[in-house]
Amino acid sequence: MKQLHFGVDYYPEHWERGRWEEDAILMQEMGIQMVRMAEFSWHKLQPSEDVFDFGWLDEAIGLLGKYGIYTILGTPTAAPPAWMVNKHPQILPIDRMGRVRGFGGRHHDCQSNPIYREYIRKLVTKMAQHYGDNPYVIGWQPDNELGNSHQDLCTCECCRQRFQGWLQRKYKTVLALNQSWGTAFWSQEYNDFSEVFAPRVTVTGENPSAMLDWRRFCSDLIVDFTREQAEIIRKYAGKQFITHNYMGFADKVDYYKLGELLDFVSHDQYPGGFYLPEAPHEKNHVLAATLDVVRSYKDQPFWVMEQQSGITGWEVMGRAPAPGQLSAWAMQSIAHGADAVVFFRWRTCAMGTEQYWHGILPHSGNPGRRYQELQEFIQEVNPLMDSLQNTMPRAEAGIVFSFEQEYAFQIQPHHKDLSYTGQAQKYYRALYEQNIPVDFVPEQGDFGKYKLLLAPLQYLMSPELEDKFMDYVRQGGHLLLTMRTGVKDRNNLCMTERELPGRLSEAAGVEVLDYDCLRDASVKVLFAGQEHEAFIWSDLMRLLPQTEALAYYNSEFYAGEPCVTVHPYGEGRCYYVGTEPGESLMDALMKEICGKAGIEPLLAPAADVECMARENGRERYLFVINHSGEARHYQAPEKCRLLRGGQLGSLKAYEAQILAVGK
Ligand code: GAL
Ligand code: ZN
């Protein structure tokens, strides 16, 4: 199949048929090669129990096909229709407050409900049989943003029973369950698996071990929900791909596990989302990290299935993207590993919740500034996309990222401002601002690829992970561990055999004997003769022989005690950071640590200029993106060719350049 790189999310069912052809022509003139359709149109496809109507969709697919535009089909299971919900109200989900959530939004479903599952099997089978051989249909997206809107769902009787079955398979005996959950505390023992609840909101705190299993169960449920659809699609439409639109760091489902079902991962990227901070400094690194974590879910290039194409908004709205900004954001996605970019959405919708989530075309349907900008962008960049095939960003630094750690910190954040993902992003920022590319790495990933591995907050520990970290350092890796490492076993029970960080103290060369949760205070830290601030937490530790203190606390009752350390271990080094470094300390530490690990920036840093590279064995493509509304300069590498952009070394407002650099 021909490589396709640019598309739009299209909702022909929102507009009169008379308009469809004009849309197809405008898309073709713009360079659009594909659309995603139908992911919310259950009622249009099955208006009542026994009536299926694919005619309108056939017509839309055929018409677009005539203009050279291919289709990715969403299964509409994120929007069960009213007739079904009325007939089977038990499909509606029940939240942790025990409230039934009503019809009228989307994702009003219980994913374990067998009646609902039966409806899904029937519809997806019919769709896959019908479209499996359609030459214009290239792929599938089961449901939409799975996990979205389900954060607090579902605790119905069906889900409860399914949870009990899940626990029984995991623990075999109720005795093992009781031990693993520590149910002796507050008389929570169960005599039988059938006594276990789906966790509703309690009057006091919750059992952290039970809550961790609940989060795992919820993630597995979504994977199973997707697997059922994927199997049907593979059976009847095996020539077409299956992907899913992820949401970056969203954590309801373990995206590594979900990825095993997919040919490739997709993601929805809204850099100007009205819910994000305004200040570029607060979000540029998060946007980049989001794309990098998406790439890590299958460790391969990905697609953006929804790339912002106008003002975002539901009840309130975000800022208007300035001229050039939509293109810069699309280029940022490509730079971090996107092989295709599908813009959300084609035309701003006149009705429903998303009337103000703007598309390429305004409400009027007349092409304007956004159409022109993206048309120019696609026509310029599309020819380059073919050379980017089979290239990937290559990072020498990795950040270990795990959904289980995220769950454990959500259950017990320790401090109101501590978040596992947030902590990973803080380390990421310091590397991002130095123009050092970063991979996120799952626990089961290949640590040996990286010169430097940052592993913040490795709270839940296992003997296998301890071994893996220690082997990595022994064989020459530079590992950074932090506060709250090795605290718990995988059942979320505190480990008691050793001082923290447990067995890892052999590599880290420290034993944490006490600690301080800083609440609203900060602590002063001395590093290389400079005073900095740190937050959230202070580990108070004893250094083992050969461990060197790099930084010291400079306030509180532990002023003068070590705060950051380094310990040689085998061929490598292990750093231990006992606090959350503020930005200046983080920057200084990361410069020092990257330098020691022999990691070079891609380019000398320049304010607001993002730099990223994709490469294969022969070529390196350097992306240089100006995120500011003013001109910026950067120091171009000596031997390079400008593939896209005005002038080597200088960037106009929001300009995004591509340079080919000889290897
Ligand atoms: C995404 C979702 C789309 C649309 C868009 C704008 O999260 O996948 O269906 O809702 O946001 O709100
Ligand atoms: Zn349920």
Side-chain angles (χ1 to χ4, degrees):
M1 195 185 83
K2 191 167 138 345
Q3 297 290 346
L4 306 176
H5 305 298
F6 292 101
V8 289
D9 299 297
Y10 186 42
Y11 301 90
E13 71 275 25
H14 295 169
W15 305 96
E16 61 293 356
R17 279 181 197 211
R19 167 74 193 201
W20 294 0
E21 184 142 25
E22 192 180 341
D23 282 338
I25 294 169
L26 284 171
M27 286 180 200
Q28 188 197 41
E29 286 174 359
M30 189 178 171
I32 292 296
Q33 303 156 317
M34 55 185 159
V35 294
R36 181 197 58 185
M37 297 197 286
E39 78 278 12
F40 296 111
S41 58
W42 197 330
H43 185 270
K44 286 268 184 309
L45 295 167
Q46 188 183 5
S48 62
E49 178 92 47
D50 301 311
V51 181
F52 290 85
D53 175 11
F54 296 169
W56 65 274
L57 188 55
D58 294 347
E59 201 182 316
I61 293 170
L63 177 69
L64 290 156
K66 208 173 90 191
Y67 288 91
I69 298 165
Y70 293 87
T71 293
I72 300 149
L73 279 179
T75 67
T77 54
W83 61 258
M84 187 190 302
V85 175
N86 275 294
K87 191 163 175 197
H88 306 284
Q90 62 276 42
I91 287 174
L92 290 173
I94 299 183
D95 68 16
R96 295 197 55 225
M97 299 289 284
R99 299 173 304 199
V100 177
R101 293 299 194 91
F103 178 88
R106 58 178 171 184
H107 273 140
H108 40 267
D109 52 16
C110 161
Q111 291 171 330
S112 30
N113 185 284
I115 299 170
Y116 181 48
R117 289 287 194 101
E118 183 55 38
Y119 276 114
I120 291 177
R121 278 195 295 276
K122 199 160 166 195
L123 177 67
V124 175
T125 304
K126 279 196 190 297
M127 284 180 81
Q129 285 172 335
H130 188 81
Y131 291 110
D133 288 318
N134 187 311
Y136 299 125
V137 175
I138 52 171
W140 296 78
Q141 173 194 295
D143 209 281
N144 187 76
E145 291 188 340
L146 282 160
N148 197 356
S149 10
H150 270 245
Q151 211 48 261
D152 196 27
L153 305 174
C154 167
T155 63
C156 76
E157 193 51 33
C158 255
C159 287
R160 178 185 177 186
Q161 283 171 19
R162 212 184 157 98
F163 184 41
Q164 292 167 350
W166 185 94
L167 292 169
Q168 191 148 18
R169 281 191 300 282
K170 176 167 178 179
Y171 292 109
K172 312 286 189 292
T173 68
V174 79
L175 180 70
L177 171 76
N178 281 316
Q179 278 168 349
S180 306
W181 282 12
T183 52
F185 186 77
W186 285 355
S187 192
Q188 290 169 2
E189 288 99 334
Y190 303 98
N191 295 326
D192 190 87
F193 284 102
S194 63
E195 290 179 1
V196 176
F197 294 88
R200 295 264 163 92
V201 173
T202 58
V203 281
T204 57
E206 289 146 344
N207 178 327
S209 303
M211 291 308 289
L212 180 59
D213 267 343
W214 173 251
R215 294 296 305 263
R216 290 175 173 132
F217 161 77
C218 291
S219 171
D220 284 358
L221 175 60
I222 293 178
V223 173
D224 179 76
F225 182 86
T226 314
R227 176 178 298 115
E228 191 163 53
Q229 297 196 28
E231 280 172 0
I232 297 170
I233 295 166
R234 297 241 185 259
K235 182 160 172 203
Y236 298 109
K239 286 175 282 191
Q240 299 157 354
F241 65 71
I242 303 179
T243 186
H244 186 70
N245 54 337
Y246 284 24
M247 301 169 286
F249 285 100
D251 58 35
K252 178 76 183 184
V253 53
D254 184 324
Y255 279 148
Y256 293 108
K257 288 191 185 157
L258 189 65
E260 292 168 15
L261 299 175
L262 310 174
D263 292 295
F264 57 88
V265 156
S266 298
H267 162 72
D268 297 343
Q269 179 80 349
Y270 292 105
F274 62 84
Y275 38 80
L276 293 176
E278 267 304 301
H281 173 76
E282 284 174 45
K283 73 172 175 187
N284 278 348
H285 68 283
V286 178
L287 299 173
T290 298
L291 295 163
D292 287 338
V293 83
V294 168
R295 185 181 69 248
S296 84
Y297 292 136
K298 270 183 96 68
D299 193 20
Q300 64 184 38
F302 57 92
W303 282 24
V304 174
M305 196 56 88
E306 299 180 15
Q307 173 82 41
Q308 183 172 344
S309 67
I311 291 180
T312 61
W314 279 20
E315 289 76 28
V316 295
M317 289 190 248
R319 299 285 314 265
Q325 207 165 13
L326 294 175
S327 316
W329 286 335
M331 192 68 107
Q332 183 187 32
S333 294
I334 295 167
H336 287 264
D339 275 353
V341 175
V342 178
F343 291 95
F344 186 92
R345 53 191 284 154
W346 173 242
R347 177 172 173 183
T348 316
C349 197
M351 58 207 176
T353 311
E354 294 181 357
Q355 286 164 321
Y356 299 126
W357 200 288
H358 293 69
I360 297 174
L361 301 185
H363 284 121
S364 71
N366 298 325
R369 150 169 103 80
R370 297 193 294 272
Y371 179 89
Q372 268 132 33
E373 177 181 324
L374 292 177
Q375 177 177 46
E376 214 171 280
F377 177 80
I378 291 173
Q379 294 187 354
E380 246 185 277
V381 175
N382 193 44
L384 298 173
M385 292 301 281
D386 287 329
S387 13
L388 291 174
Q389 292 305 297
N390 306 317
T391 64
M392 270 278 276
R394 291 267 168 267
E396 295 180 315
I399 297 181
V400 178
F401 185 76
S402 136
F403 285 86
E404 295 217 333
Q405 308 287 5
E406 163 78 348
Y407 297 157
F409 277 102
Q410 278 184 0
I411 295 163
Q412 290 174 307
H414 293 57
H415 182 287
K416 67 180 178 17
D417 298 329
L418 182 61
S419 110
Y420 173 75
T421 304
Q423 192 77 13
Q425 290 170 351
K426 284 179 176 161
Y427 279 89
Y428 181 95
R429 186 199 55 78
L431 301 191
Y432 172 82
E433 286 183 2
Q434 276 191 74
N435 289 334
I436 292 178
V438 176
D439 277 348
F440 288 88
V441 192
E443 279 176 17
Q444 67 277 12
D446 176 8
F447 292 176
K449 286 204 292 201
Y450 302 97
K451 288 183 175 170
L452 173 66
L453 201 58
L454 306 177
L457 303 175
Q458 298 299 298
Y459 184 56
L460 303 173
M461 199 37 73
S462 64
E464 299 75 43
L465 188 57
E466 282 166 346
D467 285 339
K468 205 168 159 179
F469 279 133
M470 294 203 280
D471 286 345
Y472 169 74
V473 187
R474 241 183 258 122
Q475 288 158 20
H478 289 219
L479 174 68
L480 179 142
L481 298 173
T482 74
M483 64 202 195
R484 308 317 282 150
T485 288
V487 179
K488 301 256 191 127
D489 66 15
R490 290 282 159 168
N491 294 322
N492 218 358
L493 298 174
C494 287
M495 294 199 279
T496 53
E497 294 76 25
R498 296 175 66 144
E499 304 295 349
L500 298 180
R503 243 177 93 219
L504 284 170
S505 62
E506 286 169 32
V510 296
E511 280 182 349
V512 177
L513 302 181
D514 200 357
Y515 42 70
D516 182 13
C517 183
L518 289 168
R519 301 199 64 189
D520 285 334
S522 65
V523 61
K524 303 267 187 283
V525 171
L526 256 188
F527 173 63
Q530 294 277 336
E531 193 179 69
H532 303 268
E533 253 186 320
F535 301 89
I536 309 261
W537 193 266
S538 304
D539 269 341
L540 312 184
M541 47 218 178
R542 186 168 80 82
L543 307 198
L544 304 183
Q546 289 195 310
T547 304
E548 184 192 334
L550 294 179
Y552 297 87
Y553 295 110
N554 208 27
S555 62
E556 307 307 310
F557 67 86
Y558 35 90
E561 293 197 29
C563 161
V564 181
T565 60
V566 61
H567 178 241
Y569 183 67
E571 305 286 304
R573 300 156 75 84
C574 186
Y575 295 88
Y576 188 90
V577 182
T579 184
E580 178 183 293
E583 286 191 3
S584 72
L585 178 60
M586 187 68 102
D587 287 342
L589 275 176
M590 287 302 121
K591 271 211 180 96
E592 157 82 17
I593 292 174
C594 289
K596 282 275 173 0
I599 299 178
E600 303 269 340
L602 290 171
L603 278 186
D608 306 319
V609 177
E610 177 171 329
C611 184
M612 193 61 194
R614 289 180 66 156
E615 52 195 89
N616 55 27
R618 285 167 291 119
E619 294 263 21
R620 168 183 275 188
Y621 299 95
L622 210 56
F623 294 76
V624 191
I625 303 167
N626 180 5
H627 285 295
S628 109
E630 288 158 28
R632 288 283 185 269
H633 297 276
Y634 68 95
Q635 205 177 349
E638 283 196 356
K639 273 198 233 138
C640 67
R641 271 177 310 128
L642 194 57
L643 299 183
R644 175 183 197 256
Q647 198 195 332
L648 203 60
S650 48
L651 297 157
K652 290 188 259 171
Y654 302 112
E655 187 178 348
Q657 300 189 343
I658 307 180
L659 284 57
V661 189
K663 268 195 147 180

